[in-house]
């Protein structure tokens, strides 16, 4: 058994008492001592690391990430790190097409709606750089896609194609498809027209993602959408020891099916392997506010003192799961011991998720199944205390809680003044006693926990620190944000063996290159110099 002792550190343990320490000793995969007791174990240690005053935290756990998709996209057209302009995107697509002349399809994603007028890019732009091969690119929030004319043609889509029930084809004034696909229209294209990766591709994608996530101090995650194929890939990696992160997977609730699909979840739950547990169920309850598919109690504003209209009256967004079915689903899943991971953005969706957990509690009392709601963008003030009361964890994507262009241009005008003040109320939820977890939704946005924590603490984009903060009274403390990204996420990942640094627990930890407590306004400037998962060093970088 190898022993590692880290000395001279400032150790944030994330325990409930707010304890700090200065040294930690690890034998094999376990933490065996903290503080002076750890110093006493330096004799005979295989490695002694002098942290020189730097900060040690529990390994971060990302509570909502799409690692196989992100890793696979990283290996194709990857626009996430490209400047968010149409020109830069088109140059990147053209470069990729030139470098990969043999690929029949150009796929990938990561474009930002805000780079295009109205948030919707046109196929003509792509046709100009790739006229002869199909191009299909999901956007960064994975709620829409951009296709060229060749791709539409191969899919047999044209002006006569009706919109699917759960999505929409963007059309120009003449009714022609523009190549921008929303929600269900984009998913159907991706799943039935674009080429599907093989299990081998997913294995490569997960490993690519894992290397990157480890470099950010992440030692575990919840995959917010495992498919039968990605499940097989995780299983293979867990079985052969290459999955060094601890992963829980959420199986996808098919909106077109009913409660009968629960039998499939039960069967697939048994396909786990040590280190990979597919025992969660993800239910997408609504869309997002930026394209008016997030589900609101009162209609979207039109920015001119009225309401946005849809075909059947004032537009309140979309509801993907009937509220009564949602209640019955959560009740049955809870009874069977599943933890339910619900996507809810609009205030109506958040309320329906809480109502569904309440229905389960009323049916058969409280069970420690650790349901959680991801995103929680718009929360009616009446619903804030219910998270604590019902034992529902807030799965926060804190990076979004700032005044970026997506917020100021595509969100605030459509919410109006009162509701704009209800957004991402993490401070109020914490004050009301709710448990908070954090996750990135990568590849929607960066998986760097330190960038997310900076926004949680300052409510400003780390790339625009002079901007006005978004509802600064909803900021978390730095300790609170760190606890959410470690102990809080471990809680909903069912990983009681990690998330805190304590004797007897699994040795998952990260060493930062500085003490972020000295300037909490610049957390994102810090880097991770060492990541340890189950006692193994899985990432090192020069300090
Ligand atoms: Zn989501
Ligand atoms: Zn997601």
């Amino acid at each position: 058994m190898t022993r590692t002792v880290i000395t001279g550190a400032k150790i944030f343990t994330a325990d409930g008492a707010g304890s700090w320490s200065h040294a930690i000793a690890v034998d094999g995969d376990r933490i065996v001592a903290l503080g002076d007791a750890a110093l006493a174990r330096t004799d005979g240690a295989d490695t002694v690391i002098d942290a020189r005053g730097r900060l040690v935290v529990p390994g971060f756990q990302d509570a909502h990430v799409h690692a196989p998709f992100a890793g696979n996209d990283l290996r194709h057209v990857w626009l996430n790190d490209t400047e968010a302009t149409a020109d830069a995107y088109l140059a990147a697509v053209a470069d990729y097409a030139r470098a990969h002349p043999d690929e029949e399809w150009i796929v990938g994603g990561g474009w930002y709606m805000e780079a295009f007028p109205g948030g919707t890019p046109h196929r003509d732009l792509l046709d100009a750089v790739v006229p002869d091969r199909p191009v299909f690119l999901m956007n960064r929030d994975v709620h829409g896609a951009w296709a060229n004319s060749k791709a539409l043609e191969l899919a047999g889509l044209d002006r006569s194609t009706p919109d699917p029930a759960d999505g929409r084809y963007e059309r120009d004034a003449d009714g022609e498809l523009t190549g921008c696909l929303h929600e269900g229209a984009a998913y159907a294209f991706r799943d039935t027209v674009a080429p599907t990766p093989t299990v081998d591709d997913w294995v490569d994608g997960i490993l690519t993602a894992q290397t990157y996530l480890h470099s950010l101090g992440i030692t575990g995650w919840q995959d917010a959408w495992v498919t039968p194929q990605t499940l097989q890939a995780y299983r293979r990696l867990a079985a052969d020891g290459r999955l060094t992160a601890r992963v829980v997977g959420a199986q996808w609730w098919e909106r077109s099916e009913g409660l009968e699909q629960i039998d499939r979840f039960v069967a697939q739950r048994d396909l786990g392997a040590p280190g990979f547990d597919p025992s969660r169920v993800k239910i997408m309850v609504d869309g997002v506010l930026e394209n008016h598919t997030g589900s609101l109690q009162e209609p979207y504003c039109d920015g001119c003192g009225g309401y946005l209209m849809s075909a059947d009256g004032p537009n309140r967004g979309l509801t993907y799961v009937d509220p009564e079915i949602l209640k019955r689903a959560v009740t049955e899943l809870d009874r069977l011991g599943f933890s339910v991971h619900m996507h809810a953005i609009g205030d109506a969706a958040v309320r329906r998720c809480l109502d569904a957990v309440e229905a389960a509690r009323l049916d058969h009392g409280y069970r420690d199944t650790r349901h959680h709601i991801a995103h929680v963008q718009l929360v009616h003030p009446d619903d804030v205390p219910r998270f604590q009361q019902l034992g529902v964890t807030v799965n926060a994507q804190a990076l979004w809680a700032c005044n970026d262009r997506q917020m100021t241009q595509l969100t605030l005008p459509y919410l109006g003044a009162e509701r704009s003040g209800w957004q991402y109320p993490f401070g109020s939820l914490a004050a009301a006693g709710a448990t908070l977890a954090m996750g990135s939704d990568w590849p929607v946005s960066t998986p760097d926990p330190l960038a997310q924590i900076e926004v949680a603490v300052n409510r400003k984009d780390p790339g625009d620190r002079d901007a006005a903060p978004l509802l600064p009274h909803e900021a978390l403390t730095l300790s609170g944000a760190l606890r959410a990204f470690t102990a809080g996420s471990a809680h909903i990942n069912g990983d009681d063996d990690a998330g805190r640094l304590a004797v007897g627990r699994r040795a998952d930890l990260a060493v930062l290159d500085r003490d972020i407590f000295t300037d909490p306004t610049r957390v994102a400037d810090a880097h991770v110099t060492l990541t340890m998962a189950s006692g193994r060093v899985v990432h090192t970088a020069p300090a």
Side-chain angles (χ1 to χ4, degrees), residues 255-535:
R255 299 168 208 164
S256 55
E257 298 175 29
L259 297 170
E260 72 283 356
Q261 64 187 305
I262 292 175
D263 291 343
R264 186 171 67 237
F265 300 147
V266 171
Q268 291 196 141
R269 171 162 69 175
D270 294 336
L271 296 179
F276 172 63
D277 174 18
S279 70
R280 271 71 185 147
V281 172
K282 165 86 179 289
I283 305 181
M284 204 148 136
V285 176
D286 68 343
V288 295
L289 300 183
E290 292 82 12
N291 63 7
H292 314 137
T293 57
S295 177
L296 303 184
Q297 313 213 75
E298 299 301 327
Y300 285 89
C301 300
D302 64 2
C304 309
Y307 287 132
L308 275 189
M309 300 304 281
S310 65
D312 21 64
N315 186 356
R316 291 185 165 79
L318 297 182
T319 297
Y320 294 147
V321 182
D322 174 84
E324 285 311 308
I325 304 260
L326 182 65
K327 282 184 188 171
R328 287 168 57 201
V330 172
T331 300
E332 182 62 6
L333 289 165
D334 184 69
R335 198 182 62 75
L336 292 167
F338 283 97
S339 174
V340 187
H341 180 155
M342 291 166 275
H343 160 122
I345 290 271
D347 57 342
V350 170
R351 179 165 292 176
R352 286 199 300 274
C353 293
L354 293 166
D355 290 348
V357 175
E358 188 175 69
R361 305 290 190 230
L362 288 170
D363 182 76
H364 52 252
Y366 177 82
R367 300 211 177 158
D368 187 18
T369 33
R370 308 188 186 184
H371 307 305
H372 47 111
I373 304 178
H375 312 326
V376 286
Q377 179 164 356
L378 197 64
V379 186
H380 189 284
D382 291 351
D383 289 321
V384 166
R386 298 178 72 206
F387 284 81
Q388 185 274 334
Q389 289 159 6
L390 292 165
V392 174
T393 297
V394 178
N395 186 340
Q397 281 62 60
L399 195 86
W400 306 347
C402 65
N403 279 313
D404 57 8
R405 280 191 289 162
Q406 183 135 323
M407 176 62 66
T408 56
Q409 293 175 12
L410 299 175
T411 307
L412 299 181
Y414 300 98
L415 288 179
E418 187 186 18
R419 289 183 299 192
S420 290
W422 299 351
Q423 291 193 89
Y424 304 117
F426 303 140
S428 297
L429 287 158
T435 299
L436 272 76
M438 280 198 206
S440 62
D441 211 358
W442 187 52
V444 174
S445 37
T446 173
D448 181 357
L450 297 169
Q452 296 163 63
I453 287 169
E454 179 174 318
V455 184
V457 172
N458 300 281
R459 309 279 291 194
K460 290 192 252 185
D461 179 350
D464 189 12
R465 286 176 175 143
D466 294 331
L470 175 77
L471 309 171
H473 59 282
E474 294 294 357
L476 297 176
T477 63
L478 181 52
S479 295
L482 277 170
R483 264 200 311 280
F485 228 125
T486 55
S489 294
H491 174 72
I492 55 171
N493 288 344
D495 192 2
D496 294 343
D497 203 19
R500 294 179 170 84
L501 299 177
V503 172
R505 292 197 185 232
R506 202 173 69 238
D508 285 5
L509 58 83
V511 183
L512 310 190
D513 66 352
R514 69 197 73 184
D515 175 8
I516 53 178
F517 282 87
T518 58
D519 186 358
T521 66
R522 311 187 80 84
V523 175
D525 293 351
H527 295 96
V528 172
T529 61
L530 181 145
T531 307
M532 182 183 281
S534 299

Side-chain angles (χ1 to χ4, degrees), residues 134-367:
V135 181
F136 180 76
L137 305 167
M138 293 296 290
N139 76 4
R140 187 171 313 204
D141 69 17
V142 205
H143 290 271
W146 177 22
N148 70 351
S149 297
K150 191 82 191 164
L152 296 180
E153 181 192 315
L154 277 172
L157 299 173
D158 60 32
R159 56 183 300 142
S160 67
T161 310
D163 287 341
D166 61 348
R168 191 160 57 82
Y169 297 107
E170 191 73 31
R171 294 166 203 266
D172 65 19
D174 303 327
E176 294 292 344
L177 303 193
T178 67
C180 186
L181 291 66
H182 298 289
E183 303 288 327
Y187 303 145
F189 194 107
R190 181 191 60 196
D191 297 341
T192 62
V193 183
T196 26
T198 63
V199 172
D200 286 340
D201 293 331
W202 290 123
V203 163
D204 291 342
I206 292 167
L207 288 174
T208 301
Q210 177 174 263
T211 300
Y212 187 48
L213 295 173
H214 280 333
S215 79
L216 301 172
I218 294 167
T219 54
W221 68 78
Q222 179 153 166
D223 186 318
W225 185 347
V226 287
T227 66
Q229 289 73 34
T230 61
L231 191 150
Q232 288 302 331
Y234 275 121
R235 203 173 136 77
R236 191 190 298 173
L237 289 168
D240 70 16
R242 285 188 290 168
L243 191 67
T244 44
R246 190 59 67 126
V247 178
V248 290
Q251 301 183 46
W252 180 252
W253 178 272
E254 286 294 346
R255 299 168 208 164
S256 55
E257 298 175 29
L259 297 170
E260 72 283 356
Q261 64 187 305
I262 292 175
D263 291 343
R264 186 171 67 237
F265 300 147
V266 171
Q268 291 196 141
R269 171 162 69 175
D270 294 336
L271 296 179
F276 172 63
D277 174 18
S279 70
R280 271 71 185 147
V281 172
K282 165 86 179 289
I283 305 181
M284 204 148 136
V285 176
D286 68 343
V288 295
L289 300 183
E290 292 82 12
N291 63 7
H292 314 137
T293 57
S295 177
L296 303 184
Q297 313 213 75
E298 299 301 327
Y300 285 89
C301 300
D302 64 2
C304 309
Y307 287 132
L308 275 189
M309 300 304 281
S310 65
D312 21 64
N315 186 356
R316 291 185 165 79
L318 297 182
T319 297
Y320 294 147
V321 182
D322 174 84
E324 285 311 308
I325 304 260
L326 182 65
K327 282 184 188 171
R328 287 168 57 201
V330 172
T331 300
E332 182 62 6
L333 289 165
D334 184 69
R335 198 182 62 75
L336 292 167
F338 283 97
S339 174
V340 187
H341 180 155
M342 291 166 275
H343 160 122
I345 290 271
D347 57 342
V350 170
R351 179 165 292 176
R352 286 199 300 274
C353 293
L354 293 166
D355 290 348
V357 175
E358 188 175 69
R361 305 290 190 230
L362 288 170
D363 182 76
H364 52 252
Y366 177 82
R367 300 211 177 158

